[in-house]
Amino acid sequence: MNIKLFGYWRSSASWRVRWALELKKIPYNYIPVNILKGEHREEAHLRRNVMGALPVMEVAPETYLSQSMAILLWLEENFACEPMLFGRDRSQRYKIIEFCEIINADTAPLQTPRVQKIHSEDSSKKIEWARHFTNNGLCAFEKGIKSYAGKFCFGDKISAADLFLIPQMYNAKRFSLELNQYPLLYKIWDSCMATQECLSSSPENQIDALK
């Protein structure tokens, strides 16, 4: 299977998928799409994803899948190897998805550049907006995950919840939020960032990263 991943180095959603591919040791070709140059709005990319968003994964010739949650579920079902990103127990699976959605639905979309721009053209107000919604999401995540966390979000095995959380914490750092104000999440951050798969998939280690 020749998997192609179209992404952008600093895209949180792209990082989630890169990390999953690294964890499951699935070979893939990474193809950068430069958002700053508007390549995501070009006809070639819109044929892959009508929303023009990233990431997009080509799972078969001219067969594309977008939205990071859908891609992770596809990988889980087609590569049923460790780590099982959504757990092996059905009830845990739903709980993992719940925490993924705290980031995916209620946090990340509200702090994207396109939303910031609609809110204001003033750079300081854009950052204030992003900080507000990022902090709200991380505070909720910190409070809710206490009953489940170990070394990672769910015990001592990496799950999809970690793959959604860590890129959002990376964004929090970009917005000058102190990660140590979320002590449990900060410990999970350290645990994840100590793994080779997380580091290999992280933004700065991508071929399109701005140096």
Side-chain angles (χ1 to χ4, degrees):
M1 185 179 292
N2 183 24
I3 289 178
K4 296 179 182 178
L5 179 65
F6 299 85
Y8 179 65
W9 70 283
R10 210 161 62 180
S11 157
S12 297
S14 296
W15 186 358
R16 299 165 193 164
V17 176
R18 292 193 303 259
W19 193 355
L21 289 164
E22 294 284 346
L23 284 166
K24 288 184 174 286
K25 304 188 185 314
I26 302 169
Y28 69 101
N29 294 319
Y30 176 61
I31 302 172
V33 177
N34 194 319
I35 291 176
L36 298 182
K37 293 182 178 179
E39 291 177 358
H40 61 304
R41 293 191 295 268
E42 294 177 359
E43 184 178 348
H45 186 66
L46 292 174
R47 285 198 298 268
R48 303 180 198 116
N49 178 3
V50 293
M51 286 292 291
L54 296 166
V56 174
M57 195 165 73
E58 186 175 22
V59 299
E62 299 299 314
T63 301
Y64 302 102
L65 188 61
S66 61
Q67 300 296 341
S68 60
M69 179 64 82
I71 293 173
L72 292 189
L73 288 168
W74 186 90
L75 291 172
E76 188 86 327
E77 292 174 6
N78 286 273
F79 297 88
C81 56
E82 293 293 343
M84 297 300 289
L85 299 175
F86 294 91
R88 292 189 174 275
D89 176 79
R90 180 177 293 182
S91 61
Q92 186 183 61
R93 175 185 178 90
Y94 298 140
K95 185 57 68 170
I96 289 172
I97 291 174
E98 175 187 324
F99 277 89
C100 289
E101 289 299 326
I102 289 177
I103 303 299
N104 196 43
D106 294 331
T107 307
L110 296 167
Q111 49 86 80
T112 57
R114 62 180 178 177
V115 173
Q116 292 181 42
K117 186 175 181 179
I118 292 296
H119 171 63
S120 176
E121 292 289 347
D122 183 276
S123 59
S124 63
K125 290 183 178 179
K126 288 180 182 180
I127 294 298
E128 181 183 6
W129 174 274
R131 284 166 57 93
H132 172 79
F133 287 106
T134 298
N135 181 62
N136 273 6
L138 294 181
C139 283
F141 203 111
E142 168 94 7
K143 184 177 180 180
I145 206 67
K146 288 179 181 178
S147 301
Y148 309 98
K151 187 177 179 182
F152 303 108
C153 286
F154 283 83
D156 293 332
K157 291 186 176 182
I158 287 180
S159 71
D162 300 288
L163 274 58
F164 279 78
L165 172 64
I166 298 307
Q168 191 60 49
M169 294 185 72
Y170 174 88
N171 283 348
K173 289 184 68 176
R174 288 178 53 218
F175 301 140
S176 300
L177 286 168
E178 294 293 336
L179 297 190
N180 58 14
Q181 67 181 297
Y182 320 105
L184 180 54
L185 301 189
Y186 195 24
K187 290 179 182 178
I188 295 170
W189 164 273
D190 282 343
S191 295
C192 289
M193 295 301 289
T195 67
Q196 184 57 50
E197 294 85 359
C198 183
L199 289 175
S200 296
S201 58
S202 64
E204 283 77 12
N205 287 321
Q206 305 315 301
I207 58 174
D208 56 330
L210 296 178
K211 306 299 183 182

